Amino acid sequence: MWRFAGLELSAARAAIDAAFEAGITLFDTADIYGFGEQGFGKAEELLGRVFADAPEYRDRMVLATKGGITPPTPYNSSAEYLTKAIDDSLQRLGTDRIDLWQIHRPDILTHPQEIARAVEAAHSAGKIRAFGVSNFTQAQISTLAQFSAVPIVSTQPELSPLRIDTIENGELDQAIAMDMAVLAWSPLGGGRIGDPSNEREQNVAGALSGVAASHGVSRTAAAYSWIMAHPARPIPIVGSQNPARIAEAADAFKITWTRADWYSVLVAARGVPLP
């Protein structure tokens, strides 16, 4: 929901309705979304207006949000700030609980024990039901997990057929080992899957298009499906606010990947043959 801020209420509801109709129930936002054009917290505020207009929407979704980015600082995960960030998100969203609360970016200057105590307090108070991280390294996740009585249930890395570091550097293997859900942000490579601009991007798009055509779906749906085929079962975050594009995401389930097809996309992304 990072582009959610600034929509009219009717357009906001239409986007959410399209997601529900496609079977999407996880909605991921953040307190920083809207910053720059609409303002800090504006995406959460708009979702809060949707809940006020249609209270039944709240119970139909798994509501995820994030905190910890503090322009221009840039990051703050002190216990004092995290406590305030969670309370502020609850107020903007107009809800009494957040299903999944995540630290948006790691704050190097905060000891993980301090983070853990703040999260535990919010969890005990019923303000958050589960805890995750976003853009954390494997070492940062492992270290924080040692101090936290509340398990880290999710990680949110950048992952797409054009951003395969997460696949090759062990991040997804760690997610499997720790039973963390993987929320893949920018699964379309910042739009480059749809509009490739160099040879590597064109090769990846071509490999995806071949599979997409054989299953009667779009290249976008093939990109989502390629991510979802990994054993870590990553969940692509669909960034579009266009109801038709949101509905298109469900086509990802129409593809059954052969190993040859899946690896052909990986090879195109690597730019060199596999060993």
Side-chain angles (χ1 to χ4, degrees):
M1 307 186 84
W2 73 283
R3 292 192 184 101
F4 195 67
L7 297 181
E8 294 295 328
L9 182 61
S10 59
R13 286 194 57 170
I16 292 173
D17 286 340
F20 283 147
E21 290 168 10
I24 295 170
T25 56
L26 172 65
F27 291 78
D28 179 69
T29 187
D31 57 10
I32 190 70
Y33 292 166
F35 178 77
E37 294 186 8
Q38 285 76 35
F40 189 97
K42 291 303 180 181
E44 288 185 328
E45 286 183 11
L46 177 55
L47 186 52
R49 287 175 55 205
V50 171
F51 292 153
D53 191 56
E56 68 276 11
Y57 280 30
R58 176 62 188 91
D59 290 334
R60 292 179 65 186
M61 67 173 62
V62 176
L63 175 60
T65 192
K66 302 180 285 293
I69 298 181
T70 55
T73 302
Y75 311 128
N76 189 344
S77 288
S78 66
E80 180 181 10
Y81 181 78
L82 294 188
T83 299
K84 182 178 184 302
I86 291 170
D87 287 343
D88 288 349
S89 286
L90 287 167
Q91 183 176 13
R92 284 188 291 264
L93 291 162
T95 187
D96 61 353
R97 83 281 185 195
I98 295 164
D99 298 315
L100 174 63
W101 189 81
Q102 305 150 92
I103 297 180
H104 205 156
R105 295 248 176 205
D107 172 22
I108 296 168
L109 295 179
T110 300
H111 193 287
Q113 187 174 49
E114 182 177 352
I115 295 171
R117 297 296 86 80
V119 169
E120 288 163 7
H123 185 265
S124 295
K127 297 176 182 179
I128 65 174
R129 290 185 169 179
F131 170 49
V133 296
S134 175
N135 301 296
F136 272 50
T137 66
Q138 295 172 71
Q140 289 166 337
I141 291 172
S142 297
T143 302
L144 179 56
Q146 291 183 41
F147 290 94
S148 181
V150 179
I152 301 173
V153 302
S154 68
T155 179
Q156 189 168 148
E158 182 178 0
L159 171 60
S160 77
L162 293 174
R163 180 64 181 268
I164 59 172
D165 310 43
T166 311
I167 294 173
E168 299 192 322
N169 67 9
E171 289 185 58
L172 295 188
D173 301 288
Q174 181 190 48
I176 292 172
M178 294 180 63
D179 195 24
M180 292 186 294
V182 177
L183 310 184
W185 66 267
S186 198
L188 301 180
R192 292 173 296 145
I193 292 291
D195 186 21
S197 61
N198 58 42
E199 183 178 0
R200 174 178 178 264
E201 293 170 6
Q202 291 167 357
N203 289 340
V204 170
L208 289 167
S209 291
V211 175
S214 67
H215 288 82
V217 302
S218 67
R219 187 192 304 163
T220 293
Y224 293 145
S225 182
W226 187 83
I227 293 168
M228 294 161 64
H230 190 280
R233 295 292 182 261
I235 302 165
I237 298 176
V238 179
S240 178
Q241 305 304 305
N242 182 317
R245 296 295 300 276
I246 294 169
E248 180 185 21
D251 287 344
F253 291 101
K254 296 179 180 179
I255 298 178
T256 301
W257 287 88
T258 66
R259 277 176 166 75
D261 284 342
W262 193 92
Y263 277 113
S264 72
V265 177
L266 182 66
V267 169
R270 295 177 84 244
V272 294
L274 289 164

